[in-house]
Amino acid sequence: MKVTREEALRLILSHVKPVGKEVKTLHECYGRVLGEDLFSPEELPNADLSAVDGFAVVSSSCRELPAELKVVETVEAGKESVASIGPGEAAFVMTGGIVPEGADAVVRVEDTLQKGSSVVIEKAVKPGQLINYRGSEAKKGEKILSEGELLTPRKVALIAHVGIYTVKVFRRPKVALITTGNEILEPYHSSKPGAARNTNYYLLKGLLESEGVETVYMGTVEDSPEKLKTVIEEAAENADLVVTTGGISKGKFDFVKRAVPELGFKVFFNSTNIRPGRPLLFAVKEGKTLIGLPGYPAATTVNVLEFLLPAVRKLAGRSDVENRYIKATAAEKLHSREGRVDFVRVTIHQENGKITVKNAGSQQTANYTSMALCDGLAVVEAHRGEVKAGEQVEVLPLSWP
């Protein structure tokens, strides 16, 4: 059940469904996904406001310069004007203050000269200058945000800006993580020959939680089919998505690959055409999804970035789920083999507006150090083969810029 990179992503995204919704206050919305379209409840701004500290004037009074105008009022921010400005008059208006009726322009303080109870305008005045007109930022009923948008601090502030305090958001998805293998050691355990550290757990926890996902660690399961089934069943009951690492290749003790269909999951594929990370299992049971990742951390990293993160973004309700790539020029040969999609670890360089990439050291699947420290992954398509120096290549940035 081998599929291409494109087929794998299509199958995963077609079966992953967003979780339910809930209502939260703005304090609880950072990093959540908006569950409804939002519309401005009022015009923004809700009055004609001065953009600067200055003098509100009738522009026709300033055709001949210098123009001396009588100051009839001072308008503070947040207070309404009580006067109406006529020809030959002016009002001092603070930044954000309401422009008095009759005035059609504001002149900066620094462009005037105060003379007793009058102000002298020394520069030309155009109608409408330095006035933020009512409704110029948003009309009442105008859409300001769409369902599926990630609520960054700036967007949360925008919601507050228009006067909304509670919003509908998607529930934070829960992802259960299972590490498999008798050889797995925690970083605080003493080293043993042939053992492997639990690198994948720390990778998954960080990457998933940075996407706003709640992770639940089910622990490390030894190579026992029955124990593995028990843990997977428990994980599926309590989480929206189950993620396993290890146990999906062709080895004698790769029990995940066997346990998943025995538990009633429909397996859509268990291998792709990418490197590193060819083994990848995707299965569904009663609306719950399971993604089985390979054991090598470098291979796991590629599959997490390419398939798992888009899946959890959709699970979280995001409208923008797929990765964003950049175009770069290979500064040296990037080795690849025709017939597979190679994710080549690269360093990224920018000079005079040109982005180039170079090999970031070892490309061995067993080598995680080069994967952890590279700037990005150059994606070499299956039909292409090696990339020559000077040729363009698509790159998934990881730690750049």
Side-chain angles (χ1 to χ4, degrees):
M1 289 183 287
K2 182 178 180 180
V3 296
T4 66
R5 170 200 179 200
E6 293 78 13
E7 289 170 331
L9 185 59
R10 180 185 60 78
L11 281 167
I12 291 172
L13 293 182
S14 67
H15 286 87
V16 172
K17 306 300 179 185
V19 294
K21 302 174 182 179
E22 56 190 1
V23 175
K24 294 291 183 181
T25 67
L26 293 188
H27 294 91
E28 305 167 289
C29 284
Y30 296 100
R32 302 295 288 270
V33 178
L34 187 60
E36 60 182 337
D37 292 342
L38 286 186
F39 303 86
S40 179
E42 58 183 28
E43 290 185 303
L44 198 66
N46 58 10
D48 297 341
L49 305 180
S50 175
V52 296
D53 288 339
F55 291 90
V57 302
V58 179
S59 59
S60 60
S61 298
C62 305
R63 288 174 182 161
E64 294 184 12
L65 300 176
E68 186 173 332
L69 309 175
K70 183 182 179 182
V71 179
V72 297
E73 186 182 14
T74 295
V75 184
E76 299 177 36
K79 293 188 177 180
E80 292 188 40
S81 169
V82 295
S84 177
I85 304 302
E89 295 179 332
F92 179 72
V93 185
M94 297 181 182
T95 303
I98 297 175
V99 176
E101 185 180 341
D104 66 348
V106 174
V107 182
R108 297 177 190 273
V109 170
E110 51 266 40
D111 293 334
T112 67
L113 177 65
Q114 288 186 266
K115 186 178 177 181
S117 61
S118 298
V119 63
V120 178
I121 309 299
E122 299 180 317
K123 290 190 176 181
V125 178
K126 295 180 180 178
Q129 74 176 32
L130 298 176
I131 296 178
N132 296 324
Y133 282 102
R134 178 173 181 164
S136 59
E137 187 174 349
K139 304 294 185 186
K140 183 177 181 179
E142 181 179 337
K143 184 192 286 188
I144 57 165
L145 291 173
S146 299
E147 179 178 335
E149 292 194 49
L150 180 66
L151 293 179
T152 62
R154 286 185 295 147
K155 290 180 180 178
V156 172
L158 174 61
I159 300 172
H161 186 55
V162 300
I164 298 174
Y165 183 59
T166 59
V167 295
K168 188 179 293 184
V169 295
F170 284 94
R171 179 173 57 80
R172 198 183 296 278
K174 185 181 292 186
V175 179
L177 305 178
I178 303 171
T179 303
T180 71
N182 294 335
E183 74 280 14
I184 301 301
L185 293 178
E186 294 299 329
Y188 46 81
H189 288 153
S190 299
S191 179
K192 294 180 182 180
R197 297 294 181 184
N198 196 4
T199 309
N200 287 328
Y201 164 68
Y202 294 93
L203 172 75
L204 285 164
K205 178 179 172 64
L207 287 176
L208 291 173
E209 290 183 358
S210 70
E211 294 285 344
V213 172
E214 178 185 349
T215 60
V216 180
Y217 186 43
M218 307 298 294
T220 300
V221 183
E222 61 189 68
D223 292 323
S224 162
E226 294 310 312
K227 288 184 179 180
L228 189 60
K229 287 181 186 179
T230 299
V231 175
I232 290 176
E233 280 190 310
E234 182 183 349
E237 288 176 5
N238 295 288
D240 302 295
L241 169 66
V242 179
V243 177
T244 65
T245 61
I248 60 168
S249 193
K250 300 177 181 179
K252 182 179 179 180
F253 297 101
D254 285 332
F255 293 125
V256 173
K257 189 175 179 179
R258 299 179 226 174
V260 169
E262 290 176 8
L263 287 170
F265 283 85
K266 179 180 178 180
V267 177
F268 286 88
F269 59 85
N270 55 33
S271 180
T272 70
N273 67 337
I274 73 170
R275 181 189 180 277
R278 184 170 297 179
L280 177 69
L281 186 146
F282 176 66
V284 177
K285 178 185 178 181
E286 298 173 357
K288 296 292 182 75
T289 53
L290 182 146
I291 294 179
L293 300 169
Y296 275 129
T300 292
T301 301
V302 173
N303 279 295
V304 170
L305 296 170
E306 187 69 5
F307 304 113
L308 180 57
L309 293 190
V312 298
R313 289 175 196 139
K314 184 171 182 183
L315 192 67
R318 292 263 298 270
S319 55
D320 56 330
V321 299
E322 296 192 32
N323 293 324
R324 296 180 182 179
Y325 301 84
I326 61 172
K327 292 288 187 181
T329 301
E332 59 188 19
K333 184 192 298 183
L334 303 179
H335 294 281
S336 179
R337 184 189 303 168
E338 192 173 345
R340 70 189 186 197
V341 180
D342 264 307
F343 287 78
V344 181
R345 289 158 249 188
V346 295
T347 56
I348 305 176
H349 310 270
Q350 185 171 15
E351 187 175 354
N352 298 324
K354 183 178 181 181
I355 300 174
T356 60
V357 293
K358 294 182 178 180
N359 287 285
S362 174
Q363 302 295 329
Q364 292 295 317
T365 302
N367 189 309
Y368 181 64
T369 301
S370 60
M371 178 64 75
L373 300 179
C374 70
D375 296 327
L377 299 173
V379 185
V380 186
E381 299 89 346
H383 65 271
R384 185 169 183 179
E386 70 178 21
V387 178
K388 296 181 175 63
E391 292 184 342
Q392 277 210 322
V393 66
E394 198 171 57
V395 177
L396 177 61
L398 301 182
S399 58
W400 179 94

